[in-house]
């Protein structure tokens, strides 16, 4: 991912943006080509750790055993900005994307898998605290043999917030009402990010 100086995201910025986001694409290097897996995950940014689980036959595990270096990409708040919005310039894409470059460790023992699943359940199903996985115990313990856990240790984070920060602040802000008027499925999110970035450039005074 190309990150220009004007659309680079700080650690505080990506941490705030990642709050509430827990779905992305994990990429690994297999001998016969890359493996890409869309998945839910649990990020512990303070510990530099990402937890997830997959079905045991998933080809990601073979790829990780060959090369433990993986990248988890989370992309959201994207929108297309037509050229006629930008004074006749070429169209562009607005988006936020955070890439976690990690070392992956498969987790195959029952206790380790249960720990990962229970931490994920506490995150994704907080309304059912009684639902927990105990190795060997019904109803979920016997199902552990069909799953594998994975622990990712974060080595580096790269964050990009591409919202016309290279343009003059007035021209950047002028995109916000156009996004609002169009009202596409993700335009509201893109508009919010654009205005937030614009506010950072104008001493915290967001444009309308």
């Amino acid at each position: 991912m190309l990150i220009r100086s004007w659309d680079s995201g700080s650690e505080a910025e990506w941490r705030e943006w990642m709050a509430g986001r827990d779905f992305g694409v994990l990429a690994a290097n297999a001998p016969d080509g890359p493996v890409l897996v869309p998945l839910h995950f649990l990020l512990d940014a303070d510990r530099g750790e990402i937890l997830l689980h997959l079905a045991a036959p998933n080809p990601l595990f073979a790829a990780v055993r060959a090369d433990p270096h993986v990248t988890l990409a989370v992309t959201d708040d994207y929108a297309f900005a037509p050229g006629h919005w930008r004074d006749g310039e070429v169209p562009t894409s607005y988006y936020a994307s955070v890439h976690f470059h990690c070392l992956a460790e498969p987790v195959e023992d029952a206790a380790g898998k249960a720990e990962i699943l229970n931490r994920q359940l506490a995150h994704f199903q907080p309304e059912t605290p009684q639902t927990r996985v105990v190795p060997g115990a019904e109803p979920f313990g016997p199902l552990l043999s069909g799953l594998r856990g994975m622990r990712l240790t974060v080595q580096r984070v790269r964050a990009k917030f591409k919202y016309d920060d290279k343009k003059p602040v007035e021209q950047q802000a002028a995109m916000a009402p156009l996004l609002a008027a169009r009202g596409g499925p993700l335009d509201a999110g893109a508009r919010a990010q654009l205005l937030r970035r614009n506010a950072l450039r104008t001493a915290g005074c967001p444009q309308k």
Side-chain angles (χ1 to χ4, degrees):
M1 178 171 64
L2 174 65
I3 302 179
R4 305 285 194 180
S5 59
W6 53 83
D7 54 26
S8 177
S10 67
E11 180 176 355
E13 193 171 12
W14 70 252
R15 277 176 173 255
E16 181 178 357
W17 185 79
M18 282 297 303
R21 289 184 167 85
D22 46 30
F23 192 85
V25 176
L26 185 61
N29 300 306
D32 57 348
V35 176
L36 302 175
V37 182
L39 45 75
H40 278 99
F41 61 87
L42 178 61
L43 168 67
D44 188 332
D46 291 335
R47 295 174 63 174
E49 180 179 80
I50 297 169
L51 301 176
L52 57 103
H53 75 279
L54 296 164
N58 196 293
L60 186 74
F61 290 105
V64 163
R65 290 186 180 93
D67 182 354
H69 296 89
V70 300
T71 299
L72 175 67
V74 182
T75 302
D76 202 354
D77 294 333
Y78 54 86
F80 180 77
H84 59 271
W85 285 11
R86 308 174 75 238
D87 295 332
E89 296 184 21
V90 296
T92 195
S93 297
Y94 294 148
Y95 62 87
S97 191
V98 179
H99 292 188
F100 297 91
H101 299 273
C102 309
L103 285 177
E105 174 193 359
V107 177
E108 304 197 32
D109 65 287
K113 290 187 287 186
E115 178 191 1
I116 288 175
L117 288 167
N118 285 326
R119 287 178 64 181
Q120 287 190 293
L121 284 168
H123 171 74
F124 290 106
Q125 291 184 211
E127 72 279 9
T128 59
Q130 72 280 5
T131 303
R132 291 296 177 263
V133 179
V134 178
E138 295 287 350
F140 303 113
L143 303 177
L144 286 175
S145 61
L147 303 175
R148 297 289 182 273
M150 190 170 291
R151 178 176 287 105
L152 309 182
T153 301
V154 179
Q155 304 290 299
R156 182 168 58 117
V157 182
R158 302 177 71 237
K160 178 172 183 172
F161 293 86
K162 185 175 181 287
Y163 296 99
D164 264 340
D165 284 71
K166 187 180 181 181
K167 302 298 181 184
V169 291
E170 296 82 5
Q171 184 177 347
Q172 181 186 38
M175 299 298 104
L178 298 172
L179 287 164
R182 186 173 66 183
L186 294 175
D187 284 346
R191 178 179 179 274
Q193 294 303 320
L194 183 144
L195 288 173
R196 183 187 60 77
R197 294 283 294 193
N198 187 259
L200 291 174
R201 302 175 63 203
T202 56
C205 299
Q207 305 291 319
K208 296 294 185 181

